[in-house]
Amino acid sequence: MDVRNAIKFMIISALAFACMNIIVKHLENVNSYQIVFFRSLGSLFFTFGYLIKNKIPFIGNKNKLLILRSLVGAASMVFFFMSLKYLSVGTAVSLRYIAPIFAAIFAVFILKEKIKPFQWVFFIVSFIGVLVLKGLDTQIDTLGLIYVLIAAILSGLVYIMINQIGQTEHPVVVVNYFMFTAMVLGAVLSIGNWVTPKGMEWPLLLGLGVFGYFGQIYMTKAFQTASTNIIAPLKYVEVVFSMLLGVALFNEVYTFWSILGILLIITGLILNVWYKGRLKQ
């Protein structure tokens, strides 16, 4: 277990995802469907290349589940990118990260798993953070909040589907299904809504897939290098990077209540990861 390298990988991943979020925020004149299309197209260049180079079959074993996971994941991506049109980047990212709460709830009903009482306490801490953001931060847009919560719920469902897929599929095959489905969905939804990108919007759109792919790759490397309970909390560094970039590039303002709400959300989620790690020891 190489913790130092794992931490480095996770920080690179968080920075890559933060850069992708910032690009989406910058592309305010391009609709979210096109952004999903280009983000997926860029990543497909890498996933197709990897599968061809390593002679890995494109078709998986659990095709119906792979397609369903891809559709739900693509819908989650659409709603998240839509939320960035209305919310500050750091707020949107932190709210999207409450997905594990919904995943735990889905697991109770679908997988018949049990949640320990302490986990519910940690989830409540995160949920209070959401209430603080919406109830006390007057900058929070209601429509943006609805979009990002839908994205988080769908992302939670994706976690359950990935659990069901298990080790039967190569990780790149799963990502490839997801990106291809998202590309098709983005293309179909863009019909009648197409806005022709101008100037620097073209390279920025193509850059989405690059940042998204490397964010995914380095996150995977991090989890493969060190234990989950050490690495998982570092995912939330993405929130910090996103906030700093939002302030620097878009002059975003975070009130006391927005920072408190984000801290409560992240604290509850990190405590849940830490507690789950202790249970496995």
Side-chain angles (χ1 to χ4, degrees), residues 228-230 232-233 236 268-278:
T228 300
N229 61 316
I230 294 174
Y236 305 110
L269 295 171
I270 289 176
L271 286 173
N272 179 57
V273 172
W274 168 79
Y275 184 69
K276 285 171 65 178
R278 288 200 61 182

Side-chain angles (χ1 to χ4, degrees), residues 27-93:
L27 294 168
E28 58 183 2
N29 296 320
V30 181
N31 70 62
S32 299
Y33 307 135
Q34 284 174 252
I35 292 175
V36 169
F37 171 76
F38 281 104
R39 185 262 185 267
S40 307
L41 180 65
S43 290
L44 275 174
F45 174 81
F46 295 100
T47 56
F48 267 116
Y50 182 91
L51 294 176
I52 292 170
K53 179 183 177 182
N54 293 280
K55 298 180 180 179
I56 299 172
F58 291 90
I59 305 300
N61 300 304
K62 297 182 177 181
N63 294 306
K64 290 182 179 178
L65 192 55
L66 282 167
I67 292 171
L68 184 60
R69 173 260 181 271
S70 300
L71 285 170
V72 175
S76 176
M77 189 193 299
V78 169
F79 280 109
F80 175 64
F81 287 167
M82 288 170 66
S83 75
L84 285 171
K85 304 285 187 182
Y86 301 91
L87 301 173
S88 60
V89 185
T91 300
V93 173

Side-chain angles (χ1 to χ4, degrees), residues 167-184:
Q167 302 295 318
T168 61
E169 312 290 350
H170 191 284
V172 180
V173 172
V174 179
V175 174
N176 193 63
Y177 263 83
F178 174 33
M179 290 296 102
F180 182 78
T181 303
M183 183 191 70
V184 173

Side-chain angles (χ1 to χ4, degrees), residues 114-136:
K114 292 184 178 180
I115 300 177
K116 302 292 184 181
F118 267 119
Q119 287 181 271
W120 285 117
V121 172
F122 301 145
F123 290 156
I124 290 170
V125 170
S126 293
F127 186 67
I128 290 173
V130 177
L131 294 180
V132 168
L133 278 174
K134 178 53 190 165
L136 300 176

